[in-house]
Amino acid sequence: MIRLIDLTKRYGSFTAVNRMSLEIPAGELFGFLGPNGAGKTTTLRMIAGILRPTSGIIEVRGIDIHRRPLAAKARLGYIPDRPFVYDKLTGAEFLRFAAALYGQQGPVIERRIDELLELFELAPWKNELTESYSHGMRQKLIISGALVHRPDVIVVDEPMVGLDPKSARLLKDLFRGFTARGGTVLMSTHTLETVEGMCDRIAIVYGGQIAACGTMAELREQTESEGLGIEDLFLKLTGGLPTRSLDAVLGD
Ligand code: ATP
């Protein structure tokens, strides 16, 4: 479970996240949608404990991440949008390193590493340096690193970018299986079909606030958008298209 209460992040005088409150129960796959610069990544980084909030409360499975950061982080797996791995580590070394950050090592972790590498079809590259990995392979290794310690909550930023269709489908099935077993997933994405097809509930983030939140049906009802697809709903809630500027650019 993830709970945000009045979460705020300011960069100088600019407010990137503005008194955001949200509760995502166990067993839910929750989608974060919003235009570029809406505050999605800032929110996810605060939940992951990478960025300190200006004010507000974050709880992961009922644990306040400010008061008990280690206990909260032990329950959480964070998958960032940019897959950073240490080039001079092999895939297996990277995963051992990730597990060690949570104080986990030994035969159980070695088995877990093998299972994850097998799942993402990285087993043949287990002992190769990650500098030789493609973008998608790095992304899959990062995902494995976030799962290696068996978290209860996954916070994931733009997971589908750079993944081939098979890997993207695998990830969807993985997240669905994870929530079916009581896990919680908070996922930001720009892929509207992904959100519509797989999320239990969605928040549309705009200007650092939640403009609307609920199931697709609830969002349509809240915004009086019966019959609208997710793309039109999204545009309606986030200011629409800059048609005048488009005309100006295309005009002769
Ligand atoms: P995108 O969809 O483009 O990834 P986002 O919703 O994830 O966007 P954020 O990265 O959270 O957006 O950024 C929210 C706002 O905060 C933006 O206006 C951005 O310019 C600003 N911002 C983010 N990081 C910083 C920083 N380190 N210093 C100043 N402003 C920042």
Side-chain angles (χ1 to χ4, degrees), residues 78-137:
Y78 173 59
I79 306 171
D81 53 347
R82 276 169 249 159
F84 175 80
V85 287
Y86 299 101
D87 275 355
K88 298 297 176 196
L89 292 184
T90 66
E93 284 168 346
F94 176 79
L95 293 180
R96 271 181 214 124
F97 169 73
L101 291 175
Y102 298 97
Q104 296 185 14
Q105 58 194 332
V108 174
I109 282 297
E110 289 303 316
R111 215 163 33 248
R112 178 82 172 155
I113 288 172
D114 285 339
E115 285 166 6
L116 286 162
L117 292 173
E118 197 66 45
L119 177 72
F120 288 110
E121 299 183 326
L122 292 173
W125 286 274
K126 176 178 177 179
N127 296 314
E128 299 291 329
L129 294 181
T130 59
E131 66 186 5
S132 67
Y133 283 29
S134 71
H135 176 85
M137 289 162 71

Side-chain angles (χ1 to χ4, degrees), residues 11 14 16-17 34-43 81 157-158 190 205:
Y11 294 110
F14 176 74
V17 176
N36 296 134
K40 303 178 299 295
T41 296
T42 302
T43 305
D81 53 347
D157 206 348
E158 290 280 347
H190 290 302
V205 183

Side-chain angles (χ1 to χ4, degrees), residues 35-51:
N36 296 134
K40 303 178 299 295
T41 296
T42 302
T43 305
L44 300 190
R45 286 169 60 91
M46 286 192 285
I47 298 170
I50 293 168
L51 202 57

